[in-house]
């Protein structure tokens, strides 16, 4: 199968290939597209939602198939990998990483945002316990995405004024998107590699030449600090939502009787619960 404009070898390379994301370097963007970005993307949001609904039965069938044959059946693999690519392209545009409008195409050859996946053999035990194993990564993804969206208006305003994403903000946003993509690929059994490297690729062996701004993804100190800010804001916003929900329930006389164990969920519990529906986690505009 192909991903982007290159061939993806089957059964070649490491079993646990960590999915890669290619995004071009931060460049000037048209201010009018920044101003209307989420409005312009409404058709794409609808398409992604429809694709995510169709992906639910595909994941169920794929899970049983992976338990029996140790990998996703080819048609399921083809659909889910295409879905992850489409979803990632739309998110990259929504998060102001690129100015180019995402095409309505399954595998566009020329679009600058590309996802490389190498689906292969899977550990059947890890497939069986996938919903449990993904909880830590689901918590991290929920926190960092919630934190980014908590200041999305500020990010949008900065990009609108400057006509581009500042380098530290670009790096932190790209790291957030890449982690979310890797989480989706792991949940959908497109890789056996657990999501990692939220703070970039520091410490990895040097490469002869960079393939894109995110491959390898080397974050500056400011970008790493912004990733920490996203995580903290995600934790704070989750705590506030939990408190407000609990306060509303108490106001309307819905407080649980004393001695019951129905206290409001913590941000960690909320994120873990979100993992039960990973197809749409963090995909809001």
């Amino acid at each position: 199968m192909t991903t982007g404009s290159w061939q993806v070898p089957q059964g070649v390379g490491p079993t646990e290939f960590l999915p890669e994301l290619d995004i071009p370097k931060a460049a000037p963007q048209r201010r009018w597209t920044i101003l209307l970005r989420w409005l312009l993307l409404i058709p794409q949001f609808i398409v992604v939602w429809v694709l995510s609904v169709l992906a639910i039965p595909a994941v169920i069938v794929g899970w049983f198939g992976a338990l029996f044959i140790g990998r996703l059946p080819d048609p399921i693999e083809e659909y889910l990998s295409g879905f992850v690519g489409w979803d990632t392209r739309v998110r990259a545009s929504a998060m102001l990483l690129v100015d180019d409008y995402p095409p309505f195409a399954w595998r566009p050859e020329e679009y600058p945002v590309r996802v490389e996946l190498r689906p292969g053999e899977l550990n059947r035990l890890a497939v069986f316990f996938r919903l449990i194993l993904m909880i830590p990564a689901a918590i991290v993804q929920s926190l960092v995405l919630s934190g980014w969206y908590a200041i999305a208006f500020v990010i949008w305003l900065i990009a609108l004024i400057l006509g581009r994403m500042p380098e530290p903000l670009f790096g932190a946003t790209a790291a957030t998107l890449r982690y979310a993509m890797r989480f989706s690929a792991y949940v959908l059994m497109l890789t056996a590699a657990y999501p990692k490297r939220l703070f970039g690729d520091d410490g990895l062996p040097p490469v002869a030449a960079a393939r894109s701004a995110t491959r390898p993804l080397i974050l500056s100190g400011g970008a790493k600090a912004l990733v920490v800010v996203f995580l903290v804001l995600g934790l704070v916003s989750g705590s506030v939502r939990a408190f407000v929900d609990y306060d509303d329930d108490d106001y309307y006389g819905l407080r649980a009787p004393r001695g019951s164990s129905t206290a409001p969920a913590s941000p960690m519990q909320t994120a873990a619960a979100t993992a039960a529906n990973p197809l749409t986690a963090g995909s809001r505009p």
Side-chain angles (χ1 to χ4, degrees):
M1 58 176 281
T2 59
T3 300
S5 60
W6 55 81
Q7 291 292 124
V8 178
Q10 298 296 326
V12 178
T15 302
E16 293 195 352
F17 175 79
L18 192 60
E20 293 287 0
L21 174 64
D22 286 300
I23 300 178
K25 293 181 179 180
Q29 300 187 34
R30 294 164 293 179
R31 285 183 172 85
W32 75 268
T33 66
I34 296 175
L35 177 67
L36 303 174
R37 182 65 52 90
W38 288 356
L39 182 64
L40 294 171
L41 286 174
I42 288 177
Q44 288 284 357
F45 294 144
I46 295 172
V47 171
V48 170
W49 179 81
V50 172
L51 292 176
S52 70
V53 171
L54 296 176
I56 293 174
V59 172
I60 296 173
V61 173
W63 184 79
F64 282 104
L67 281 180
F68 282 100
I69 65 176
R71 62 171 298 146
L72 287 176
D74 289 342
I76 301 298
E77 174 190 302
E78 176 73 16
Y79 179 80
L80 293 179
S81 60
F83 165 71
V84 170
W86 197 313
D87 178 60
T88 302
R89 291 190 294 271
V90 174
R91 289 195 196 196
S93 179
M95 298 173 84
L96 306 177
L97 289 170
V98 290
D99 193 35
D100 302 67
Y101 193 82
F104 289 92
W106 195 242
R107 298 191 187 280
E109 295 291 330
E110 302 300 327
Y111 195 69
V113 177
R114 300 177 181 176
V115 172
E116 182 176 0
L117 301 167
R118 298 183 187 176
E121 299 298 320
L122 298 168
N123 184 301
R124 290 179 175 85
L125 192 62
V127 171
F128 185 79
F129 289 106
R130 185 72 45 142
L131 282 174
I132 297 175
L133 293 174
M134 73 185 189
I135 288 176
I139 293 172
V140 174
Q141 184 211 221
S142 178
L143 291 178
V144 73
L145 279 174
S146 295
W148 190 93
Y149 284 114
I151 57 171
F153 176 77
V154 175
I155 295 173
W156 171 82
L157 192 60
I158 291 173
L160 183 63
I161 293 172
L162 299 180
R164 62 180 299 148
M165 287 274 279
E167 196 62 39
L169 193 54
F170 174 88
T173 302
T176 299
L177 176 62
R178 189 179 71 165
Y179 191 89
M181 180 274 294
R182 288 176 171 175
F183 173 74
S184 296
Y186 179 77
V187 171
L188 299 179
M189 297 165 289
L190 293 167
T191 180
Y194 204 77
K196 57 177 72 76
R197 299 179 194 158
L198 175 60
F199 289 92
D201 297 327
D202 292 350
L204 293 180
V207 294
R211 296 188 61 169
S212 67
T214 54
R215 194 171 182 188
L217 179 58
I218 307 300
L219 299 184
S220 65
K224 291 179 180 178
L226 281 172
V227 173
V228 174
V229 169
F230 295 163
L231 291 168
V232 172
L233 287 175
L235 183 63
V236 171
S237 63
S239 300
V240 170
R241 284 196 301 269
F243 175 79
V244 171
D245 290 344
Y246 178 73
D247 190 57
D248 288 345
D249 289 349
D250 185 40
Y251 178 80
Y252 288 107
L254 299 178
R255 172 182 280 182
R258 289 186 179 181
S260 69
S261 57
T262 55
S266 68
M268 300 299 185
Q269 292 170 323
T270 302
T274 303
N277 187 17
L279 296 175
T280 56
S283 61
R284 64 187 179 187

